[in-house]
Amino acid sequence: DIQMTQSPSTLSASVGDRVTITCRASQSINIWLAWYQQKPGKAPKLLIYKASSLGSGVPSRFRGSGSGTEFTLTISSLQPDDFATYFCQHSNSYPYTFGQGTKLEIK
Amino acid sequence: DVQLVESGGGLVQPGDSLRISCAASGFTFSTSWMTWVRQAPGKGLEWVTNINQEGSAKYYVDSVKGRFSISRDNAKNSLYLQMNSLRAEDTAVYYCVRLDNSGYMAYWGQGTLVTVSS
C-alpha cells in the first residue's frame, strides 16, 4: 500500500500569512493527488485535483504543486475561513489512502 | 445541484449487520463511479470501497474485505454498503462520495454515523 505522510501535523498562522503543507508518498503516484479541506462536523471539500488543478469554485489563493512523491499545498494569503484541517489523498492505485491531516490553527 | 444523502446509520452491537444507503440526485448516477469513505471520531479519513458504473468492478480496503459489500441500483439512483460482522473499529461517520476522473472526490454527502458498541 502507498503511504501518504503530511507535514506538519499542526500549523499555527495568522490571517494574511502564506503557508505551505507538504504531502509525501511512499512511492511515485505521478500526479494522482488531491487535497481536501475539512471543517469540524462537515464533510471534506475538494480543493485541488491531479496535483495542481483547482477545484470548482475554489479561490485562487490555493495552489497545488508536485509530482512523483512530493507535493505541496500553498495558501498565498490566509483568510479567516481557511482555518481548518487539510488532507491529501492519492488515487494512483488501490487502496486509495489519505494523509493523516494537517490542522491549520489561528496563531 | 449534486446531492448525496446518506441514511441508515445507528448503534449496533459487535457482530451485527447494518446496511447504509445513499440517495443521489442532480447528476447522471448511472455513469458515475461511487465510493464510501469513513472517518472514525476525531480521526482522519479512510477510503473504504469503490464501485464502477455497472456494479461489475468493486474494490475494498483490506480491513473490510469479506465483511463489507458495496452495491448500487441505477434505476433508483442509490448506493448501498452492506456491513457484516461489525467491529468496534468500524465506528465512524460513513460518507457517500461521487468519484470523478482520476479518482478525486468532488462531491460528498453529509455522512451517516455508525456506532458499534455493546
Side-chain angles (χ1 to χ4, degrees):
Chain A
D1 297 1
I2 298 173
Q3 288 193 336
M4 307 301 293
T5 304
Q6 286 181 235
S7 59
S9 296
T10 307
L11 180 56
S12 296
S14 301
V15 172
D17 284 354
R18 176 187 176 96
V19 299
T20 297
I21 299 168
T22 297
C23 180
R24 289 186 174 87
S26 59
Q27 64 189 74
S28 178
I29 57 170
N30 198 341
I31 59 166
W32 308 122
L33 184 99
W35 289 97
Y36 303 88
Q37 176 194 68
Q38 187 178 33
K39 296 182 179 179
K42 300 294 187 181
K45 173 189 174 184
L46 176 71
L47 298 175
I48 302 289
Y49 63 98
K50 285 201 291 185
S52 61
S53 295
L54 202 62
S56 175
V58 176
S60 58
R61 63 181 179 272
F62 291 91
R63 180 177 176 269
S65 64
S67 66
T69 62
E70 188 150 336
F71 301 84
T72 58
L73 173 69
T74 300
I75 310 172
S76 59
S77 178
L78 275 173
Q79 299 302 301
D81 191 50
D82 299 338
F83 293 94
T85 300
Y86 294 83
F87 295 93
C88 60
Q89 171 243 331
H90 87 82
S91 56
N92 181 77
S93 59
Y94 290 111
Y96 293 172
T97 51
F98 290 84
Q100 81 279 13
T102 294
K103 186 174 183 180
L104 181 52
E105 299 179 330
I106 301 175
K107 186 185 286 184
Chain B
D1 283 3
V2 173
Q3 278 205 313
L4 298 165
V5 180
E6 301 94 337
S7 61
L11 174 63
V12 296
Q13 294 191 335
D16 282 356
S17 298
L18 189 69
R19 188 177 86 156
I20 58 177
S21 303
C22 171
S25 61
F27 66 101
T28 306
F29 180 74
S30 61
T31 63
S32 299
W33 279 74
M34 298 296 296
T35 189
W36 289 99
V37 172
R38 67 184 179 182
Q39 186 170 35
K43 302 296 184 183
L45 300 166
E46 182 181 37
W47 170 81
V48 177
T49 178
N50 281 358
I51 188 169
N52 72 344
Q53 296 91 333
E54 302 84 12
S56 57
K58 303 173 185 181
Y59 303 89
Y60 299 92
V61 68
D62 280 352
S63 59
V64 308
K65 279 180 185 174
R67 299 189 301 123
F68 289 13
S69 178
I70 189 172
S71 62
R72 64 192 298 160
D73 185 335
N74 287 342
K76 294 183 177 179
N77 287 345
S78 293
L79 179 72
Y80 307 101
L81 185 64
Q82 176 68 43
M83 301 181 288
N84 299 328
S85 303
L86 281 160
R87 306 167 180 168
E89 54 265 35
D90 296 318
T91 294
V93 173
Y94 285 74
Y95 292 103
C96 169
V97 186
R98 192 182 92 177
L99 201 64
D100 282 334
N101 293 336
S102 309
Y104 64 91
M105 304 175 187
Y107 296 98
W108 298 64
Q110 84 288 351
T112 188
L113 177 61
V114 173
T115 303
V116 184
S117 175
S118 54

